Amino acid sequence: MNPVLIEVRDLEVRFPVRGKGFLNRGPVQEVRAVDGVSFDIRRAETVGLVGESGSGKTTVGRAILRAIDPTSGTVIYHGRQGDVDLAHADESALRDVRGKLQMVFREGGVPVHSLSGEALRLFRPRMSLVFQDPYSSLNPRMTVRDIIAEPLIAGGVMRDRAQIDARVREIAARCKLDLEHLRRFPHAFSGGQRQRICIARALVARPDFVVCDESVSALDVSIQAEIVNLLKDLQEEMGVAFLFIAHDLSVVAQMSHRVAVLYVGKFVEYAPTENLFFAPRHPYTHALLSAVPRADPDAVFDPIRLDGEIPSPLSAPSGCRFHTRCPFARDRCKTETPAWREIAPEHFVACHYAEEFDFSRPRAAA
Ligand code: SF4
């Protein structure tokens, strides 16, 4: 089993919501977009993150990357320092950068949640993001070469043009981009090619961890499969870990080693992919899986259908947040928050009655 790369503990992200109208402008309420999320991501592992729209998936990913600041909780990075300093040919600059990096990369891991200023800037190349929309996430005025090179320059990873060009060509080839394309602009490419450019940009600084935020959702099914295979190949070659955020469970199953299920800002289940898909223990996971089209029309299992919308995190239900839609809810569920507990090795769930449920699915149905 690979060592832990990212350790997330009690992560909380709250946003103030201001009242409407001229006389009511102060913060009146707080939205708990992410509420006490804890999990680990190992080196070269893909963790899938699923849940309905508005459950907080994107916020979890961005809080780990420090694209938004967590309100509380910790994110510890146990990775290597990387090659940030190799680019600084100037000796005094090199000493300066090495000194700062030693302060950032210390024993016990990098406290990503509390980094700021120069330390955060130096750390940023270790983690990266692939956006959902390959059309709006590429600057139409930049060539593909400049787009891919941007993280190297902005993150201070490299300064020498020849080194940058060599690195861009290397990652473009790995991402199966024609080197001739590096001189062109994004409008000349299809959706799949654009997403490969986005992946090359995310991986050019050789990060250990990448968040793929609905990165295949906007693509045709055949292109989705191509991008998923590319990500798996790159993971094998480069040892990068992914947090793969998606609402399409069949894509998540193909891509992930473990899967976490999020509901109104809280994890309800986290397990190895096989366990989660064939023997889920939480009614919400079972409901999500019930909605996945089945390849075998004769497969028998007992699906449940969810009524109503996911509640707003502004007025999250008391007790178990799923009790307003759970067909198995009892009185206790309305008042008592279920504990996050390990009911089998590596299988975590938050439901008072998880041991009573048997949602096992025939393999052909998944
Ligand atoms: Fe349903 Fe109660 Fe379990 Fe929540 S704790 S999922 S409401 S049975």
Side-chain angles (χ1 to χ4, degrees):
M1 195 182 289
N2 291 348
V4 170
L5 177 70
I6 308 278
E7 190 185 321
V8 180
R9 293 289 175 270
D10 293 322
L11 187 72
E12 263 192 43
V13 182
R14 289 181 237 140
F15 299 112
V17 177
R18 293 171 203 285
K20 288 182 184 165
F22 180 69
L23 295 174
N24 192 14
R25 286 181 172 254
V28 288
Q29 266 181 302
E30 267 189 338
V31 176
R32 283 190 181 218
V34 177
D35 191 359
V37 161
S38 299
F39 69 119
D40 295 330
I41 301 172
R42 300 195 191 105
R43 282 171 188 271
E45 178 186 44
T46 299
V47 169
L49 187 51
V50 299
E52 290 165 281
S53 298
S55 57
K57 304 186 294 293
T58 294
T59 313
V60 170
R62 292 187 185 209
I64 293 172
L65 293 179
R66 287 294 306 279
I68 51 178
D69 289 336
T71 311
S72 64
T74 58
V75 178
I76 308 291
Y77 167 88
H78 295 282
R80 63 200 164 83
Q81 183 174 304
D83 55 2
V84 176
D85 52 352
L86 296 179
H88 296 262
D90 176 89
E91 257 312 308
S92 66
L94 186 60
R95 268 199 304 277
D96 185 37
V97 169
R98 278 188 179 141
K100 285 173 183 160
L101 280 168
Q102 267 166 14
M103 288 194 301
V104 177
F105 288 84
R106 50 193 178 213
E107 227 175 284
V110 179
V112 182
H113 57 278
S114 62
L115 292 181
S116 61
E118 182 72 350
L120 183 57
R121 194 183 74 80
L122 287 169
F123 174 76
R124 281 216 184 277
R126 308 308 326 136
M127 309 211 280
S128 188
L129 174 68
V130 179
F131 295 95
Q132 173 176 3
D133 185 353
Y135 289 89
S136 62
S137 59
L138 298 177
N139 187 335
R141 292 188 181 82
M142 290 170 77
T143 62
V144 171
R145 181 264 176 208
D146 289 346
I147 288 169
I148 296 175
E150 206 178 12
L152 296 175
I153 299 161
V157 178
M158 285 183 174
R159 289 179 184 167
D160 180 74
R161 192 174 170 89
Q163 274 187 332
I164 292 173
D165 281 338
R167 179 72 73 84
V168 168
R169 281 198 297 274
E170 179 212 318
I171 196 68
R174 279 179 190 253
C175 292
K176 300 181 174 60
L177 286 164
D178 192 328
L179 297 187
E180 273 297 302
H181 293 167
L182 294 176
R183 285 179 293 167
R184 298 190 191 163
F185 290 86
H187 67 80
F189 298 94
S190 66
Q193 286 172 318
R194 281 169 183 245
Q195 201 57 305
R196 275 187 262 146
I197 296 169
C198 294
I199 292 167
R201 175 176 60 183
L203 293 175
V204 72
R206 295 183 185 151
D208 290 320
F209 174 62
V210 174
V211 174
C212 298
D213 188 0
E214 302 277 10
S215 302
V216 296
S217 307
L219 304 174
D220 293 342
V221 175
S222 59
I223 308 295
Q224 274 188 5
E226 193 185 290
I227 297 296
V228 164
N229 288 336
L230 173 65
L231 289 171
K232 285 165 117 175
D233 290 348
L234 290 169
Q235 182 169 61
E236 218 171 286
E237 286 169 30
M238 302 174 75
V240 62
F242 293 115
L243 180 65
F244 191 79
I245 299 171
H247 57 265
D248 184 338
L249 290 175
S250 37
V251 178
V252 171
Q254 279 179 50
M255 185 69 203
S256 310
H257 299 98
R258 291 190 286 172
V259 178
V261 183
L262 197 62
Y263 187 76
V264 198
K266 272 187 178 293
F267 272 12
V268 295
E269 192 158 8
Y270 185 38
T273 306
E274 178 114 349
N275 293 9
L276 193 117
F277 276 79
F278 294 117
R281 305 302 290 264
H282 196 284
Y284 181 58
T285 312
H286 178 47
L288 288 181
L289 292 171
S290 297
V292 178
R294 285 167 290 153
D296 177 3
D298 298 325
V300 179
F301 78 112
D302 188 19
I304 58 172
R305 215 188 63 196
L306 292 182
D307 292 323
E309 296 283 316
I310 185 171
S312 162
L314 252 182
S315 51
S318 59
C320 173
R321 292 186 173 184
F322 188 52
H323 84 254
T324 52
R325 300 167 83 196
C326 178
F328 309 100
R330 303 173 203 175
D331 285 346
R332 179 185 175 198
C333 305
K334 295 177 188 164
T335 53
E336 202 179 311
T337 304
W340 180 241
R341 59 207 169 86
E342 192 171 9
I343 55 164
E346 299 268 302
H347 194 148
F348 295 84
V349 69
C351 170
H352 295 308
Y353 306 106
E355 285 82 354
E356 294 178 20
F357 301 137
D358 180 9
F359 299 130
S360 300
R361 295 156 58 84
R363 308 245 146 186

